[in-house]
Amino acid sequence: MKQVILTLNAGSSSLKFALFPPEGDIPLATGLVDRIGADGEMRLKDGNGGALPLPKGGDYTSHTRSLATALVALEMSFPGLSVAAVGHRVVHGGPDFAAPVRVDETVLSALDRLSPFAPLHQPHNLAGIRAAIETFPHALQVACFDTAFHRGHSFENDAFALPRAYFDKGIRRYGFHGLSYDYVSGHLAMIDPDLAQGRVIIAHLGNGASMCALNGGRSVTSTMGFSALDGLAMGTRCGQIDPGALLYLMQQEGMDGDAISDLLYKRSGLLGLSGLSHDMRELEAADTPEARQAVGYFIARIRRELGGLTAVLGGLDALIFTAGIGENSAPVRAAVCKGMDWLGLSIDETRNEQNAPLLSKDGAKVRVMVLPTNEELVIARGARRLVADSERPAA
Ligand code: ADP
């Protein structure tokens, strides 16, 4: 078999992976190992979503063992597998990594030093890289960053108004979901190159949620900042919050850093407001006042950011919805766009119900679209590029 590309997205107790051929956008297989270290299990599908066979008695006690089990499973369906590169999703690339990079010891140490900036994600991403180095010692390891797409923002879009020394220490806005924005803006450039050169807002609405303002295909600013907590309310994350509220929790309620972290990352957002679920589908189906308020808050923040980002861009040519909620929830999209005619934004109800790629009414000034995201493909393309670079003879 020709050399293939494996993409990995390692979380605290999960491992998402996809196997891509040397060329083309359709994966040969996609898989997920869940509950690593507990009662782990794997799901594996082919490129059309059909189930692929799994080995009996797989070992899911660690990331390395889960990856080894995944490799056995992939070998069963794709014998003679030869992995040219493993592309890794890495949440934080700091102020400097603006593109995919080949991982060596120096890069790994640099990424390790960024772990305090994303303590809930980065260490797991790096555990995935170490597991892949062990499992595929001859493959190129490539790190692809959620922050990279946002490098190049102006100072006012990157800074907080703290004393300068804090900016220099890295206390600044990085922006996240960059792999998704990279894919969606690239896809828009393929289907409508002129529009992609204009003023575009992409709303990535999944369990994590953020919005990005783009001009000429480049990120100008995003609602996520220093961490993946800022901006929109999310499944379990709070989104924008007055820092004074955190001071109060620390000083008056005696909460320490761990307790606040647990509150803001895991118990807030849709889950915290509804007291019911982090999951939009469940909240849309539930008929409680709290569920309605949670969804209402989620939508209100999106509308507020839409106004702010449009002002930053000096107008709007396109609004694009993506990720689980953005791609599937007609009610959320309708509520976000309601009464926005003043902005030239109005959507067709039937198109919206059908999740059609184009939602805006014919003749509306702002094009509103649904474009499914594909972060794995962006990682695979990044890894392919570095494989091609490594095979090019030195000049
Ligand atoms: P992640 O950020 O974990 O990748 P996803 O992009 O898969 O998350 O988005 C998950 C969210 O999408 C959940 O809140 C889920 O309820 C929501 N979602 C998926 N399908 C629908 C649907 N048909 N209607 C409303 N919400 C949906």
Side-chain angles (χ1 to χ4, degrees):
M1 152 169 262
K2 279 221 199 151
Q3 293 214 309
V4 292
I5 305 285
L6 184 67
T7 65
L8 277 193
N9 181 352
S12 58
S13 59
S14 69
L15 198 59
K16 275 192 212 162
F17 57 94
L19 192 67
F20 282 86
E23 282 167 36
D25 294 351
I26 312 290
L28 299 165
T30 60
L32 170 69
V33 181
D34 238 344
R35 300 192 300 277
I36 293 173
D39 54 340
E41 61 166 13
M42 176 158 55
R43 271 169 285 164
L44 188 63
K45 294 178 186 166
D46 65 20
N48 299 317
L52 289 173
L54 298 174
K56 290 209 169 62
D59 184 345
Y60 305 111
T61 49
S62 68
H63 281 80
T64 305
R65 292 188 176 159
S66 301
L67 190 54
T69 306
L71 179 59
V72 172
L74 290 170
E75 275 279 357
M76 286 166 58
S77 295
F78 307 97
L81 199 68
S82 170
V83 174
V86 186
H88 300 269
R89 179 180 192 165
V90 178
V91 69
H92 217 302
D96 298 325
F97 289 113
V101 63
R102 180 181 183 160
V103 180
D104 56 19
E105 278 308 318
T106 315
V107 168
L108 208 46
S109 309
L111 299 182
D112 247 338
R113 284 196 296 278
L114 292 170
S115 283
F117 288 93
L120 298 186
H121 296 99
Q122 190 90 341
H124 306 300
N125 301 158
L126 301 187
I129 296 183
R130 293 200 175 90
I133 291 173
E134 224 174 285
T135 314
F136 305 99
H138 303 298
L140 206 68
Q141 306 291 334
V142 177
C144 302
F145 303 101
D146 270 313
T147 49
F149 191 70
H150 304 291
R151 302 283 55 79
H153 286 181
S154 63
F155 176 78
E156 63 266 29
N157 284 316
D158 257 0
F160 297 114
L162 295 171
R164 280 309 272 238
Y166 289 92
F167 183 86
D168 299 334
K169 278 205 265 187
I171 316 292
R172 49 188 282 185
R173 303 178 65 85
Y174 293 96
F176 296 87
H177 286 139
L179 298 168
S180 176
Y181 295 131
D182 193 347
Y183 177 79
V184 173
S185 59
H187 189 66
L188 181 66
M190 257 170 47
I191 59 175
D192 195 334
D194 288 342
L195 193 58
Q197 278 310 304
R199 300 158 299 181
V200 175
I201 292 175
I202 304 176
H204 175 111
L205 309 178
N207 279 318
S210 72
M211 292 162 77
C212 180
L214 299 97
N215 205 340
R218 293 179 66 93
S219 168
V220 175
T221 191
S222 146
T223 59
M224 273 185 178
F226 174 74
S227 71
L229 279 176
D230 202 5
L232 306 180
M234 306 174 218
T236 61
R237 287 174 250 165
C238 59
Q240 186 273 334
I241 186 168
D242 180 342
L246 305 182
L247 292 175
Y248 178 87
L249 292 175
M250 283 163 64
Q251 293 166 343
Q252 308 302 326
E253 304 251 320
M255 285 176 82
D256 65 9
D258 286 344
I260 290 183
S261 170
D262 184 65
L263 173 71
L264 302 186
Y265 276 100
K266 299 188 178 151
R267 298 195 288 123
S268 298
L270 294 173
L271 174 65
L273 284 175
S274 69
L276 185 69
S277 171
H278 70 279
D279 191 281
M280 183 57 80
R281 261 173 304 197
E282 283 184 35
L283 296 180
E284 285 182 345
D287 198 19
T288 68
E290 291 83 6
R292 280 196 293 276
Q293 278 188 337
V295 176
Y297 181 89
F298 179 76
I299 289 161
R301 285 298 320 180
I302 297 170
R303 289 167 61 87
R304 189 168 160 161
E305 299 290 354
L306 182 61
L309 296 177
T310 300
V312 170
L313 291 173
L316 188 63
D317 300 309
L319 169 65
I320 299 177
F321 289 98
T322 195
I325 299 168
E327 291 167 28
N328 297 297
S329 176
V332 167
R333 292 190 305 254
V336 167
C337 298
K338 192 170 172 203
M340 290 270 179
D341 310 70
W342 58 271
L343 185 58
L345 198 160
S346 68
I347 60 173
D348 180 278
E349 222 174 282
T350 312
R351 291 176 182 175
N352 188 38
E353 288 299 331
Q354 293 167 343
N355 298 328
L358 183 67
L359 307 185
S360 39
K361 288 188 179 148
D362 294 337
K365 201 165 93 12
V366 178
R367 299 259 248 150
V368 184
M369 301 173 95
V370 173
L371 297 180
T373 193
N374 193 343
E375 289 152 303
E376 279 74 28
L377 183 56
V378 172
I379 299 171
R381 285 175 178 163
R384 279 178 187 153
R385 243 188 344 265
L386 291 201
V387 169
D389 287 352
S390 74
E391 287 169 350
R392 203 167 291 137

